[in-house]
Amino acid sequence: MDKITIVRYDAAQRVLWDDFVENARNATFLFKRDYMDYHADRFADCSLLAWSGGKLLAVLPADLSRDGILRSHGGLTYGGWILPKAHLDGTDLLEIFETAVEYCRGAGISGISYKPLPYIYAIYPSQEDIYALFRLGGAIDCVNLSSAVDLLNPRPFNTLQRRLLRKAGSLPFAPKVESSPMEGDYDVAPFWNMLADCLDQRHDARPVHSLEELQMLRDRFPSEIRIFMVRDDVGIPAAGVCVFESAMVAHCQYICTTARGRSLNLLPFLFDYLINRAYAKSDGPASDSAEISFPRKYSPRYFDFGTSNEEAGRILNAGLHRQKSSFGATGVAYPRYFIPVTSPLS
């Protein structure tokens, strides 16, 4: 391989960046510039591109913190080096990472905070960066715990959720799941308002995305950002999930209910529909797997409920984690590593 060069991303490389992400083996739409740049006013983008012999080898979504740390982009849950589907192995990525550390040293950057892509999101195994982190002295300084269902081999809901699901099935009205379309206009306000009320009343919190931001992102990525809702007996939205869909994972970005929705057990009904029908693999054991009532761009392998942590992973919200586990989900770690950039590599 020719000498590797690390350069900082600029807007003139937008099309090149997006094309590389589109054809990578370990990328999701969150790495597209239309997603990363929506909050450019909050993060000083410092994404990197690795070149060799005029060929783009890998890209790293990143920003620069106020204290001079190169971070896997602070506006994204995960990150890491994005790799091509072929012609790059662990030896190459180790050299890329070493060159990036030298680049950071020359730029006066004091450290690298790195969030690798959780393994469930990669089309092909892509953990060459984990080995490189070991070689470079990277230390884990944060681990969040997510909960995911393997749609090829889903585990059953626990006894409580099965009982609640039976109750939802015996309601005097027939709940129905509504889904946002893959194209065209869709108003996210009914979902967002329910979400904002739920977070405020139950957790004293606000959605990460404002109504305007979620609407803008859904309009930019209608095939990837899907909203599913169930209405109560008088037609008011009572349970909902916003799913970020990628090739390998249907990720629950937001989950919300109303008090009425909880009393009617509409959330177990919605998750049963999503896991055992809509996203069920046709060759898996889930019931009614052929009853898919909405089109989709991908056929994900995993259904990810997201993390259940606070304070950079040091606190596990046990109640929330157990609720996610009750739908048949098991653990996936979302780690973060830190590499000090203070002295030449030995």
Side-chain angles (χ1 to χ4, degrees), residues 87-141:
H87 310 303
L88 190 142
D89 59 24
T91 300
D92 300 324
L93 188 59
L94 178 58
E95 187 175 353
I96 289 170
F97 226 139
E98 290 173 340
T99 306
V101 170
E102 294 292 352
Y103 168 87
C104 290
R105 183 173 295 114
I109 293 169
S110 60
I112 300 173
S113 181
Y114 185 92
K115 295 181 289 191
L117 185 79
Y119 78 93
I120 59 175
Y121 286 86
I123 297 173
Y124 304 111
S126 300
Q127 292 191 308
E128 292 88 348
D129 56 350
I130 302 297
Y131 175 72
L133 287 162
F134 162 70
R135 287 285 299 274
L136 296 171
I140 292 177
D141 65 0

Side-chain angles (χ1 to χ4, degrees), residues 37 42 46 48 125 130 179 192:
D37 294 344
R42 282 173 268 170
C46 193
L48 303 181
I130 302 297
S179 65
W192 191 92

Side-chain angles (χ1 to χ4, degrees), residues 39 120 125 163 238 333:
H39 42 27
I120 59 175
R163 183 166 68 247

Side-chain angles (χ1 to χ4, degrees), residues 16-324:
L16 175 71
W17 177 284
D18 281 351
D19 285 346
F20 190 89
V21 168
E22 182 67 27
N23 294 289
R25 58 175 149 115
N26 61 336
T28 74
F29 76 96
L30 272 68
F31 301 137
K32 293 286 189 71
R33 300 312 307 196
D34 267 349
Y35 191 95
M36 289 181 60
D37 294 344
Y38 89 87
H39 42 27
D41 58 321
R42 282 173 268 170
F43 299 97
D45 192 280
C46 193
S47 298
L48 303 181
L49 298 88
W51 292 86
S52 177
K55 179 181 179 182
L56 182 58
L57 300 178
V59 300
L60 177 67
D63 74 284
L64 191 62
S65 70
R66 293 179 180 178
D67 54 354
I69 302 294
L70 182 78
R71 305 184 302 185
S72 283
H73 201 285
L76 304 177
T77 305
Y78 47 74
W81 284 104
I82 299 171
L83 310 177
K85 289 181 180 175
H87 310 303
L88 190 142
D89 59 24
T91 300
D92 300 324
L93 188 59
L94 178 58
E95 187 175 353
I96 289 170
F97 226 139
E98 290 173 340
T99 306
V101 170
E102 294 292 352
Y103 168 87
C104 290
R105 183 173 295 114
I109 293 169
S110 60
I112 300 173
S113 181
Y114 185 92
K115 295 181 289 191
L117 185 79
Y119 78 93
I120 59 175
Y121 286 86
I123 297 173
Y124 304 111
S126 300
Q127 292 191 308
E128 292 88 348
D129 56 350
I130 302 297
Y131 175 72
L133 287 162
F134 162 70
R135 287 285 299 274
L136 296 171
I140 292 177
D141 65 0
C142 171
V143 178
N144 288 308
L145 183 60
S146 187
S147 306
V149 173
D150 183 349
L151 296 168
L152 281 178
N153 189 26
R155 299 167 68 244
F157 288 11
N158 73 3
T159 302
L160 172 61
Q161 295 299 347
R162 293 199 301 271
R163 183 166 68 247
L164 298 180
L165 187 58
R166 288 193 296 270
K167 289 183 177 180
S170 62
L171 291 171
F173 72 104
K176 294 183 179 180
V177 178
E178 305 172 5
S179 65
S180 60
M182 288 180 62
E183 57 184 21
D185 295 336
Y186 179 80
D187 183 8
V188 305
F191 172 82
W192 191 92
N193 290 331
M194 174 173 52
L195 172 66
D197 288 344
C198 180
L199 290 177
D200 179 54
Q201 294 168 11
R202 307 198 77 197
H203 305 287
D204 192 26
R206 296 285 290 172
V208 173
H209 301 93
S210 69
L211 171 58
E212 293 75 19
E213 288 171 341
L214 187 59
Q215 184 69 64
M216 174 185 64
L217 290 171
R218 186 271 155 194
D219 291 344
R220 290 180 180 181
F221 299 99
S223 297
E224 287 83 7
I225 298 179
R226 310 298 301 273
I227 292 175
F228 302 92
M229 292 196 304
V230 182
R231 297 179 184 270
D232 62 20
D233 46 339
V234 294
I236 296 173
V241 177
C242 177
V243 173
F244 281 18
E245 207 176 294
S246 61
M248 294 299 294
V249 178
H251 168 75
C252 294
Q253 180 69 20
Y254 293 116
I255 302 168
C256 58
T257 56
T258 65
R260 181 62 174 160
R262 292 188 290 276
S263 71
L264 297 173
N265 303 303
L266 294 182
L267 194 59
F269 172 84
L270 178 54
F271 279 133
D272 177 64
Y273 172 85
L274 293 175
I275 295 170
N276 296 320
R277 288 177 153 190
Y279 285 109
K281 308 294 282 188
S282 59
D283 53 351
S287 62
D288 298 326
S289 59
E291 294 187 25
I292 298 173
S293 62
F294 71 95
R296 62 180 194 257
K297 182 177 179 179
Y298 304 104
S299 181
R301 164 74 184 268
Y302 299 98
F303 189 87
D304 181 24
F305 283 91
T307 59
S308 305
N309 299 93
E310 304 167 19
E311 296 187 12
R314 291 175 177 81
I315 294 176
L316 178 65
N317 185 327
L320 181 60
H321 177 67
R322 284 175 174 158
Q323 182 191 33
K324 295 172 180 178

